[in-house]
Amino acid sequence: MRVSENHTLSFDSVVLFIILTSSLFLAFLSGFFPSVSLAIVPRRIFSASSNLNEERTPYSSSPVNTSDSIEISEAQVSSGSAQIKTATSKNIGGEKLGEELNRKGTEEVSITNQKDKKLKKIQARLARVRSSIREASKVRNLTSTHQDPDYVPQGPVYRNPNAFHRSYLEMEKMFKIFVYEEGEPPLFHDGPCKSIYSTEGRFIHEIEKGNYYRTDDPDEAFAYFLPFSVVMMVAHLFTPSGDTNSIGLSVIDYVQTISDKYPFWNRSMGLDHFMLSCHDWGPSTSSYVPQLFYNSIRVLCNANTSEGFKPAKDVSLPEINLETGEITGLLGGYSPSRRNILAFFAGRLHGHIRYLLLQQWKDRDQDVQVYDELPKGVSYYNMLRSSRFCLCPSGYEVASPRIVEAIFAECVPVLISDSYVPPFSDVLNWRSFSVQVDVKDISNIKEILMGISQRQYLRMQRRVKLVQRHFVPNDPPKRFDVFHMTIHSVWLRRLNVQIQQQ
């Protein structure tokens, strides 16, 4: 059947009308929403090694307000619709809105790309260092092959002198630490520089000075320091009722604050962050933030593997008792020929191990002199200097300042503990300059020590003198001393973390 000409014109007119109407409607929409197809960036975070490659929920559940800052990480970029809502609330419309969104989007992409490049550069440098240390570890000489004007590691006191020296030199060249500035003293950026907690306070004060390793640019940092002091928190927040929640809540609030303000905690789930504590409650305080406990590098005097200390990621910190805050008069001891006491210990009852030691040896033997309290007029430090072996039993917690006291007095330390990881044991071969006695063998201490020949003892005593430099808290710090060795232990753990963008 043939359609008449009038019907044909009518149909064409309808089609034309629909096309024109649609074009006008689309043009109307595009005038108001020119960027309606903005790409929405997924809320993801960086993953890291240690079987943590799957996508994780960041510690901070509250997104950072990116409208007030141009430092935006991928984990914090808002969706396109959220940006449109913010712009609309400022009465920006039409073409101005599109220009504003396009400009901000370009800035954000540029900033994110710059941060990604810096992170990739850091990761590439760390990869090269790992490779160079592996090559250095193949050299089995007992003396480092690297040149150094101050000190060349050598001897069996080191697991591998060449690898350690290579790692140390690389650390000095490139390691940078960002110290969060949030928080006020005395709980933050402060700590005691006297007593058995001096290691904690001295480290915090030294890193705060900024003379070594510290950077003010967080994007170029390899690691991030959480500058809270557990000792100061216990002193100011602990109540007589025994409630420690206020201490834990302070740490929770602090991590929440820095994870809201900066992208770095969420980026790595805390893997490239570290805390430092010489208080017995350091491990339990860190447990209030699971990612701090399980992921972060925890530098602890209480390095107890039965309480969650992981040598692969955590650092054992020496406990040093500085009664006056000074090291003067504490270093050095008598020559081996003048050391007429086989073994010595003095200390009050403090935990099960000391109970066993005092029960077995107090007032029992002139060769193994064990006291809960020294007689009047007898100098503790002279007793250390006059002894061949110094007994270092754990107290209620595994760490003991007697280990470093023995090393300072050039007395071979005898470690009596369960589940304790000695300081710097990733670098130092403790068996070459100390004796380790199991708790179950306390009754056999004299037999064990008498079984060490004079020749072997002299070797061990010389090695104690050699490692002493690594435990001295100099002011200002000197290369290879306790401050730099602590940093080096953190550096080694950071080398094992590979942060990659998903």
Side-chain angles (χ1 to χ4, degrees), residues 42-106:
R43 183 178 176 80
R44 293 189 178 184
I45 60 177
F46 289 82
S47 66
S49 61
S50 303
N51 296 323
L52 294 170
N53 291 324
E54 68 273 19
E55 184 177 342
R56 296 293 188 91
T57 302
Y59 172 76
S60 170
S61 59
S62 304
V64 176
N65 182 4
T66 58
S67 63
D68 296 331
S69 172
I70 62 171
E71 293 188 359
I72 304 170
S73 71
E74 184 183 10
Q76 298 169 334
V77 174
S78 302
S79 67
S81 58
Q83 293 181 23
I84 290 174
K85 185 180 293 184
T86 301
T88 304
S89 67
K90 296 180 181 179
N91 296 319
I92 302 176
E95 293 182 0
K96 290 184 178 181
L97 171 62
E99 293 172 359
E100 180 73 11
L101 290 174
N102 288 333
R103 182 183 63 80
K104 285 188 175 181
T106 302

Side-chain angles (χ1 to χ4, degrees), residues 179-200:
V179 180
Y180 288 108
E181 297 181 353
E182 285 66 29
E184 297 293 333
L187 304 186
F188 304 90
H189 310 286
D190 195 7
C193 294
K194 298 181 181 181
S195 78
I196 60 173
Y197 304 125
S198 64
T199 318
E200 178 176 318

Side-chain angles (χ1 to χ4, degrees), residues 28 95 118 124 133 169 263 270 295 496:
F28 174 80
E95 293 182 0
K118 287 185 176 181
I133 294 174
L169 294 174
N295 293 358
N496 288 333

Side-chain angles (χ1 to χ4, degrees), residues 226-252:
L226 306 170
F228 61 82
S229 169
V230 176
V231 174
M232 302 302 280
M233 287 181 173
V234 172
H236 292 275
L237 300 179
F238 182 66
T239 60
S241 63
D243 182 16
T244 61
N245 285 335
S246 58
I247 299 172
L249 290 174
S250 296
V251 177
I252 291 173

Side-chain angles (χ1 to χ4, degrees), residues 52 56 268-271 290-297 313:
L52 294 170
R56 296 293 188 91
S268 69
M269 297 170 289
L271 281 161
Q291 288 185 348
L292 178 60
F293 186 90
Y294 291 107
N295 293 358
S296 299
I297 302 167
K313 78 168 189 69

Side-chain angles (χ1 to χ4, degrees), residues 69-357:
S69 172
I70 62 171
E71 293 188 359
I72 304 170
S73 71
E74 184 183 10
Q76 298 169 334
V77 174
S78 302
S79 67
S81 58
Q83 293 181 23
I84 290 174
K85 185 180 293 184
T86 301
T88 304
S89 67
K90 296 180 181 179
N91 296 319
I92 302 176
E95 293 182 0
K96 290 184 178 181
L97 171 62
E99 293 172 359
E100 180 73 11
L101 290 174
N102 288 333
R103 182 183 63 80
K104 285 188 175 181
T106 302
E107 288 179 354
E108 291 168 2
V109 170
S110 176
I111 293 168
T112 301
N113 287 341
Q114 291 174 10
K115 291 179 181 290
D116 288 347
K117 288 179 180 178
K118 287 185 176 181
L119 179 62
K120 290 178 180 178
K121 184 177 179 180
I122 289 174
Q123 293 302 110
R125 295 178 71 185
L126 290 175
R128 289 194 293 270
V129 170
R130 286 193 295 271
S131 177
S132 69
I133 294 174
R134 278 195 296 269
E135 288 300 313
S137 67
K138 295 177 183 178
V139 178
R140 297 298 180 179
N141 296 340
L142 290 181
T143 301
S144 170
T145 60
H146 301 96
Q147 300 297 317
D148 198 305
D150 295 325
Y151 177 69
V152 177
Q154 58 183 318
V157 296
Y158 301 103
R159 292 182 177 275
N160 187 309
N162 202 54
F164 164 55
H165 202 189
R166 177 76 266 161
S167 174
Y168 188 93
L169 294 174
E170 294 287 359
M171 173 195 72
E172 287 185 316
K173 284 194 302 184
M174 71 173 65
F175 196 34
K176 295 181 180 179
I177 298 170
F178 179 74
V179 180
Y180 288 108
E181 297 181 353
E182 285 66 29
E184 297 293 333
L187 304 186
F188 304 90
H189 310 286
D190 195 7
C193 294
K194 298 181 181 181
S195 78
I196 60 173
Y197 304 125
S198 64
T199 318
E200 178 176 318
R202 280 176 171 264
F203 182 90
I204 293 174
H205 281 276
E206 202 57 56
I207 201 72
E208 288 282 343
K209 291 178 184 177
N211 295 329
Y212 304 94
Y213 307 107
R214 185 173 180 176
T215 177
D216 293 328
D217 182 358
D219 287 310
E220 70 174 17
F222 290 69
Y224 302 84
F225 179 50
L226 306 170
F228 61 82
S229 169
V230 176
V231 174
M232 302 302 280
M233 287 181 173
V234 172
H236 292 275
L237 300 179
F238 182 66
T239 60
S241 63
D243 182 16
T244 61
N245 285 335
S246 58
I247 299 172
L249 290 174
S250 296
V251 177
I252 291 173
D253 289 343
Y254 192 77
V255 175
Q256 186 71 57
T257 297
I258 60 103
S259 65
D260 282 348
K261 185 173 180 179
Y262 303 92
F264 309 106
W265 178 276
N266 291 338
R267 183 180 74 179
S268 69
M269 297 170 289
L271 281 161
D272 52 0
H273 288 59
F274 72 99
M275 60 163 282
L276 182 143
S277 174
C278 209
H279 197 278
D280 290 349
W281 295 353
S284 59
T285 299
S286 68
S287 68
Y288 281 85
V289 180
Q291 288 185 348
L292 178 60
F293 186 90
Y294 291 107
N295 293 358
S296 299
I297 302 167
R298 299 178 305 154
V299 184
L300 304 170
C301 285
N302 189 11
N304 190 341
T305 57
S306 69
E307 296 180 359
F309 184 90
K310 303 293 184 186
K313 78 168 189 69
D314 296 326
V315 172
S316 178
L317 182 67
E319 190 171 283
I320 304 175
N321 186 13
L322 296 180
E323 294 180 353
T324 65
E326 301 294 333
I327 197 69
T328 306
L330 297 181
L331 301 180
Y334 301 143
S335 64
S337 61
R338 296 177 59 192
R339 294 178 180 262
N340 51 17
I341 301 172
L342 176 66
F344 165 70
F345 169 78
R348 295 178 181 177
L349 184 62
H350 192 263
H352 181 62
I353 295 178
R354 287 198 194 177
Y355 169 78
L356 295 176
L357 182 65

